[in-house]
Amino acid sequence: MHRIIIPLLLLAFIPFTGQAQQNPKSITITGKILDSDSGQPLEYATFVLQKADDPNQVTGGITDPSGSFEIETAPGTYNIRVEYISYKTYARDGQTYNSSIDLGSIRLSPDVAQLQEVEVVGEKTTVEVRLDKKIYNIGKDITTSGGNVSDALNNIPSVSVDVEGGISLRGNDNVRILINGKPSALAGFGSTDVLQQLPADAIEKVEVITSPSARYDAEGTAGILNIVLKKEKTLGINGSVNATVGVPFNARTTTNFNLRTDKFNIFNTLGYFRSESPGGGRFDNTYLSDASEFDRIIEDRDITRKNEGFNVNIGMEYFLTEKSSVTGSFFYRWSDENDLTENDNQRFADGSLNSRTFRSEDQGENDNSYQVSLNYTNNFNDDGHKLTADFQYSYDDESVFTEIQENNVVPNQNLLALENINEIQTQDDILAQIDYVLPMGEAQFEAGYRGTFEKEINDYQLDTLNQGTGNFETNLDLTNVFTYHENVNALYTQYGNKYGKFSMLLGLRLENTQMKGSVDSEIDSEALEEILGEDVDLNFDKNYLGLFPTVNLIYEISETANVSVGYNRRINRPRGWFINPFPSRSSRTNVFQGNPDLDPAYANAFDIGYLKRWKELTFTSSVYYQRETNSFERIQEETGELTSDGIQIIRSIPINLSTNQRIGAEAGMIYSPVKWLRLNSSFNFFTFKTDGFFNGVDYGTENSSWFARLSSKFTLPAKIDLQANSFYMGPRQNAQTKDKAMFSLNLAMSKDLFKDKATLSLNVSDVFNSRKRRSFTQTPTFTSDSEFQWRQRQVNLSLIYRFNQAKERNNRQNQERQGDFEEGEGQF
């Protein structure tokens, strides 16, 4: 550990020249640090001078690109050490220097064990098992070069991303997404769409937290995915430029700039993207009720998405003292999105084509988000005793205008409907947090507070063309302003200790949740009850107080194997749009309506894991069980209403079902039998059972499913890499819908250029264009057979150029410092 801590302290607190003292009687010590095998100079090696009679007096410096160092100090007797990550330490005690001296060339020998470990960090994806999480250090995954964060997450064991970008953990989509340990505007406001706008190469590691400790929010019954973004810790100026072009059209440019001295660290990222992402689907709906004029409707949809956006993140970390620092950052994102969905409808009556219509939905969305963050860190000592405080304010303003037009094609070309939907959604988030850590020998005590205060306002207006007058009229039954507050105050404490080979982490979190909503509308409550079909409280104020215990245990069978056991209690709070009682529609025939009577769902989860490492193989496995009460389920039902041309209107609504039980097992393998071949695979099998009734209908179901992935990477001569990632998701079903199996394959190759300062990559995402959701939904009144593709096959060509950033093992020290990430300090 001292091989890591000492260089970091030196880099943080020692100027480039190592001038710790200005003494007229000072002497100069010079020399050069070389690799003992190759004779190559070692840049950023550290030369440490420690007074022999006073160990607290330490000075030193780091080497320049030629491996040379020059240090001014007072005459005296010193203990000297030369340190470089992945090399054996050079040490000499009791060295007396009374005059300036040139020590000549000091040659360091590679430490084979550490060398293999660091090469893994830079080149390969590796896994670390902690008491409460698994950490996947992202290697050089060239299949996601030029891609986004969602693409990268789809290569993480236990994680799957569906065709619409929805993220699930172990098959459960109620997963909490954090950025650098906190809710963040970088991850979107309750939506994963924004992750598709962030570049994959911004990720340093992903923490899969299936048994979260008490430090984390209790939100997310599936667990937590914490995305840790890169932050450069090397002294001096460094950065990178990454440019991507692709087909279908995809252009992205990201620049990273970092300036670090012994007193401050300035970091900045700029990103611009523009893309066109075609998709589409086919829906074959059969109506079983006599209420509808049609018995079958076939829809063929073509979707064109044009997205353009810009984001900037700039911040500075200032070192107040040797032990404390303040970090401030500002993030801003702007995006302009346009989605055009064209829908060709064939409508049948008594088995014959009755009519044909064409519907277009043109949606434009303008989104502005910003976030201000402040962090204070005070490390009382080098043993981990510290206090951190965080404040974060986020704001999002989203304006959406949608024009929906539907015309007859057969037997005439009459206008059926023309609607304009205006939505303005704003959200304010405030986060305040303080954490205290006190090591006590082998034990550690932690305590803290976190408060999150969220306000959402959804202003929804529907205007419909009156074909008789030729004027648009506002639909007062649906037009409304819904305001929602969610305030969560939490206190936590946890205690960890190690007894020989046995380690434990016990925690308890107390959370109070306030959910408050109000509606401003011209419609009266009696009319609304008639629309909703039930008694609904439009202005509600609910409070929930809960205790959330966590238990995490690890037993080290040997240095290369361990067994872990975890238990935690979690909560799933409904989001604002799940509670908004006013119906909103994506078409004239499909309506989504929130449910203000939704209560939070609670889950108890158990996990038993096993990890084993061999020289060339790492194997992880676990079995898990989860029981969730009041679990959410979106169900579809008839509203009893018809459109003007006789089509049933179907309503989707979220409800609390009674229980949801999930049992599963997963295994993962990272295998490198030879230097030029690396394999990474994972498999997850789970079965779940849901029980519950709604409006007299039994929505219970029981089903098993699985998903698996395999990644293989080959290193060829001339620094050429080839990689293939495959993913298979088995069939699955819920109370109403069965999803068929899905397979996808990604291929890529890359070549290092300009003495490893640049990398050129070519990748193909979804080679067989097979990433499609194929589903069959059956209810007592209708069936729907559908196929949907969110994004077609994508080909990207990317070039990344690094300045003052040595690649992979050429800068082992830089890699190790990146791995020493602290929560709240991440750079995007």
Side-chain angles (χ1 to χ4, degrees):
M1 181 61 70
H2 70 278
R3 299 187 180 190
I4 299 174
I5 294 177
I6 293 177
L8 287 176
L9 292 175
L10 284 173
L11 285 175
F13 308 130
I14 299 173
F16 286 99
T17 59
Q19 295 177 357
Q21 304 176 22
Q22 294 297 326
N23 190 324
K25 298 181 180 179
S26 64
I27 62 174
T28 301
I29 301 176
T30 58
K32 181 174 290 190
I33 311 300
L34 305 176
D35 184 299
S36 62
D37 295 334
S38 66
Q40 294 295 316
L42 298 179
E43 183 182 6
Y44 297 118
T46 56
F47 185 89
V48 182
L49 280 173
Q50 182 185 52
K51 266 298 192 69
D53 57 354
D54 186 359
N56 292 324
Q57 290 191 28
V58 180
T59 186
I62 60 176
T63 57
D64 61 20
S66 67
S68 301
F69 63 88
E70 179 177 327
I71 299 171
E72 291 189 15
T73 187
T77 302
Y78 294 91
N79 301 326
I80 68 171
R81 289 189 308 279
V82 180
E83 309 236 352
Y84 193 67
I85 297 299
S86 299
Y87 281 77
K88 295 179 180 179
T89 299
Y90 174 92
R92 294 290 185 273
D93 294 337
Q95 303 296 304
T96 300
Y97 302 119
N98 294 319
S99 60
S100 297
I101 186 173
D102 183 356
L103 299 181
S105 296
I106 299 175
R107 296 179 178 269
L108 301 186
S109 301
D111 188 321
V112 176
Q114 288 196 34
L115 178 61
Q116 292 176 348
E117 179 181 353
V118 175
E119 284 182 326
V120 163
V121 171
E123 179 69 13
K124 310 171 188 176
T125 296
T126 61
V127 59
E128 303 173 28
V129 175
R130 303 287 175 82
L131 274 166
D132 58 343
K133 58 191 158 189
K134 293 179 182 177
I135 303 174
Y136 293 93
N137 298 289
I138 303 300
K140 190 179 70 171
D141 189 343
I142 58 178
T143 63
T144 62
S145 182
N148 54 52
V149 169
S150 290
D151 296 327
L153 289 178
N154 205 32
N155 290 330
I156 299 296
S158 305
V159 181
S160 59
V161 182
D162 65 22
V163 295
E164 295 178 322
I167 298 171
S168 61
L169 182 59
R170 292 175 167 174
N172 188 343
D173 59 5
N174 183 227
V175 56
R176 180 73 155 163
I177 307 294
L178 303 179
I179 301 291
N180 300 328
K182 303 179 186 66
S184 174
L186 278 70
F189 293 85
S191 169
T192 59
D193 294 344
V194 176
L195 296 178
Q196 300 180 34
Q197 301 177 11
L198 305 181
D201 57 13
I203 300 178
E204 177 180 324
K205 57 187 176 182
V206 176
E207 298 178 345
V208 178
I209 312 173
T210 53
S211 184
S213 69
R215 174 188 293 182
Y216 295 98
D217 286 338
E219 172 71 27
T221 55
I224 295 172
L225 287 179
N226 182 29
I227 302 170
V228 178
L229 303 178
K230 292 178 180 177
K231 181 186 178 183
E232 183 61 60
K233 293 192 175 183
T234 302
L235 289 173
I237 298 175
N238 52 76
S240 64
V241 179
N242 192 346
T244 299
V245 293
V247 178
F249 181 77
N250 176 38
R252 181 189 297 273
T253 302
T254 304
T255 63
N256 291 280
F257 173 82
N258 198 89
L259 171 61
R260 184 181 179 98
T261 71
D262 60 338
K263 199 64 180 174
F264 62 84
N265 179 25
I266 297 176
F267 51 87
N268 171 248
T269 297
L270 294 174
Y272 171 81
F273 72 91
R274 187 172 182 178
S275 65
E276 296 180 6
S277 181
R282 177 181 172 85
F283 299 80
D284 190 344
N285 302 325
T286 301
Y287 297 91
L288 308 176
S289 171
D290 294 334
S292 176
E293 179 180 341
F294 306 104
D295 51 37
R296 185 185 183 192
I297 297 178
I298 298 176
E299 301 181 9
D300 286 305
R301 298 184 188 178
D302 287 322
I303 305 173
T304 302
R305 300 181 186 85
K306 296 181 179 180
N307 301 326
E308 183 178 15
F310 167 82
N311 57 68
V312 59
N313 187 53
I314 186 169
M316 183 176 76
E317 179 181 14
Y318 183 78
F319 302 100
L320 300 172
T321 67
E322 293 184 352
K323 301 294 184 182
S324 63
S325 66
V326 174
T327 303
S329 65
F330 174 77
F331 169 78
Y332 173 76
R333 179 182 59 247
W334 164 83
S335 65
D336 184 12
E337 305 175 22
N338 182 261
D339 295 351
L340 176 62
T341 303
E342 297 177 319
N343 195 337
D344 184 11
N345 295 267
Q346 301 178 60
R347 307 192 294 191
F348 297 82
D350 298 326
S352 301
L353 181 64
N354 176 278
S355 60
R356 190 169 183 174
T357 66
F358 182 81
R359 177 182 179 273
S360 67
E361 178 182 332
D362 193 355
Q363 181 182 85
E365 178 179 322
N366 187 272
D367 192 2
N368 287 273
S369 301
Y370 67 84
Q371 177 176 290
V372 178
S373 302
L374 290 173
N375 167 265
Y376 169 75
T377 299
N378 188 354
N379 294 290
F380 298 104
N381 56 37
D382 297 333
D383 298 325
H385 185 199
K386 68 178 181 178
L387 175 72
T388 60
D390 293 274
F391 174 82
Q392 183 172 283
Y393 174 74
S394 306
Y395 177 79
D396 180 63
D397 185 349
E398 184 176 304
S399 299
V400 182
F401 176 77
T402 307
E403 182 182 56
I404 301 175
Q405 180 174 339
E406 191 162 357
N407 294 78
N408 274 328
V409 177
V410 175
N412 55 56
Q413 295 183 342
N414 294 339
L415 177 67
L416 289 174
L418 182 58
E419 298 178 343
N420 291 335
I421 301 175
N422 285 278
E423 291 181 87
I424 300 177
Q425 301 173 4
T426 60
Q427 180 167 333
D428 293 85
D429 283 354
I430 295 176
L431 179 146
Q433 178 175 338
I434 186 167
D435 298 283
Y436 176 73
V437 180
L438 176 64
M440 299 179 293
E442 292 286 340
Q444 181 166 291
F445 169 80
E446 296 183 46
Y449 162 82
R450 174 181 286 189
T452 55
F453 311 95
E454 175 185 313
K455 178 183 178 181
E456 299 179 32
I457 300 178
N458 185 18
D459 189 340
Y460 182 90
Q461 179 175 325
L462 172 63
D463 297 329
T464 303
L465 178 68
N466 185 325
Q467 297 190 48
T469 64
N471 297 321
F472 280 94
E473 298 176 354
T474 299
N475 185 329
L476 299 179
D477 292 342
L478 298 180
T479 297
N480 70 96
V481 178
F482 178 66
T483 303
Y484 175 68
H485 296 263
E486 181 183 281
N487 302 319
V488 180
N489 288 278
L491 294 170
Y492 81 90
T493 182
Q494 63 183 21
Y495 173 80
N497 206 341
K498 185 174 183 180
Y499 305 92
K501 296 183 177 182
F502 178 78
S503 300
M504 70 172 187
L505 183 62
L506 309 177
L508 184 64
R509 189 177 186 90
L510 174 68
E511 287 193 352
N512 176 259
T513 302
Q514 180 189 38
M515 299 164 52
K516 184 168 62 174
S518 62
V519 173
D520 181 10
S521 174
E522 296 187 22
I523 188 172
D524 58 41
S525 57
E526 292 184 2
L528 182 60
E529 288 176 14
E530 183 177 346
I531 294 174
L532 304 182
E534 54 187 24
D535 185 10
V536 174
D537 186 5
L538 297 182
N539 301 292
F540 58 89
D541 190 347
K542 302 178 181 180
N543 271 274
Y544 304 89
L545 184 66
L547 281 173
F548 301 91
T550 62
V551 178
N552 290 288
L553 311 171
I554 285 185
Y555 178 75
E556 298 176 9
I557 301 173
S558 66
E559 293 183 357
T560 59
N562 65 57
V563 175
S564 61
V565 177
Y567 162 77
N568 64 93
R569 185 172 187 256
R570 311 288 295 164
I571 186 174
N572 182 12
R573 304 181 185 92
R575 307 303 301 168
W577 68 287
F578 255 41
I579 292 180
N580 188 343
F582 272 84
S584 61
R585 50 183 171 181
S586 58
S587 72
R588 296 188 303 123
T589 58
N590 293 283
V591 173
F592 176 84
Q593 179 184 323
N595 180 3
D597 288 331
L598 273 183
D599 292 320
Y602 294 91
N604 290 279
F606 301 84
D607 187 288
I608 300 176
Y610 173 75
L611 177 140
K612 174 65 176 176
R613 286 190 176 94
W614 291 270
K615 181 178 180 181
E616 299 164 344
L617 173 67
T618 299
F619 174 78
T620 60
S621 63
S622 64
V623 294
Y624 54 89
Y625 170 77
Q626 181 187 83
R627 185 177 186 273
E628 182 176 342
T629 58
N630 274 346
S631 58
F632 302 155
E633 187 79 33
R634 288 177 61 172
I635 59 99
Q636 292 179 303
E637 61 179 9
E638 286 185 325
T639 62
E641 299 179 3
L642 302 176
T643 63
S644 58
D645 48 344
I647 302 177
Q648 294 184 37
I649 298 178
I650 304 299
R651 177 179 72 164
S652 297
I653 184 171
I655 62 172
N656 287 113
L657 287 180
S658 57
T659 60
N660 183 315
Q661 298 185 73
R662 186 179 300 264
I663 302 174
E666 62 181 351
M669 178 189 71
I670 300 174
Y671 182 49
S672 182
V674 290
K675 186 176 181 181
W676 51 267
L677 173 63
R678 288 171 291 279
L679 301 174
N680 189 341
S681 66
S682 63
F683 175 84
N684 192 303
F685 173 85
F686 57 92
T687 179
F688 58 89
K689 180 180 180 181
T690 300
D691 298 311
F693 288 82
F694 182 72
N695 287 346
V697 179
D698 184 2
Y699 289 97
T701 185
E702 187 171 357
N703 182 241
S704 298
S705 186
W706 59 281
F707 61 89
R709 55 172 50 87
L710 172 64
S711 174
S712 56
K713 186 175 180 182
F714 306 85
T715 300
L716 305 179
K719 296 183 179 180
I720 296 176
D721 288 332
L722 303 177
Q723 186 171 338
N725 288 358
S726 59
F727 176 77
Y728 180 87
M729 179 178 290
R732 61 188 62 192
Q733 71 179 60
N734 60 20
Q736 293 181 316
T737 302
K738 295 180 180 180
D739 292 326
K740 297 181 181 180
M742 181 179 66
F743 172 80
S744 63
L745 175 69
N746 300 338
L747 297 177
M749 68 176 297
S750 71
K751 173 74 171 71
D752 292 333
L753 305 170
F754 310 125
K755 298 182 180 180
D756 293 344
K757 292 183 178 180
T759 302
L760 183 68
S761 302
L762 175 67
N763 62 63
V764 183
S765 176
D766 194 9
V767 174
F768 300 114
N769 209 34
S770 57
R771 192 169 177 79
K772 301 176 182 179
R773 184 185 66 217
R774 297 174 296 165
S775 305
F776 181 77
T777 300
Q778 183 168 12
T779 74
T781 58
F782 72 93
T783 65
S784 178
D785 193 358
S786 65
E787 179 179 285
F788 180 77
Q789 184 177 29
W790 179 260
R791 184 179 66 179
Q792 295 179 6
R793 179 194 301 114
Q794 180 75 43
V795 181
N796 286 328
L797 180 66
S798 302
L799 176 66
I800 181 170
Y801 182 82
R802 297 166 288 272
F803 56 93
N804 293 337
Q805 271 190 345
K807 177 180 175 287
E808 310 304 344
R809 57 178 290 183
N810 292 336
N811 194 350
R812 301 178 181 88
Q813 194 167 13
N814 172 38
Q815 293 171 351
E816 190 68 28
R817 290 179 187 130
Q818 286 185 348
D820 191 42
F821 178 88
E822 293 290 339
E823 279 190 8
E825 297 182 354
Q827 173 190 357
F828 165 66

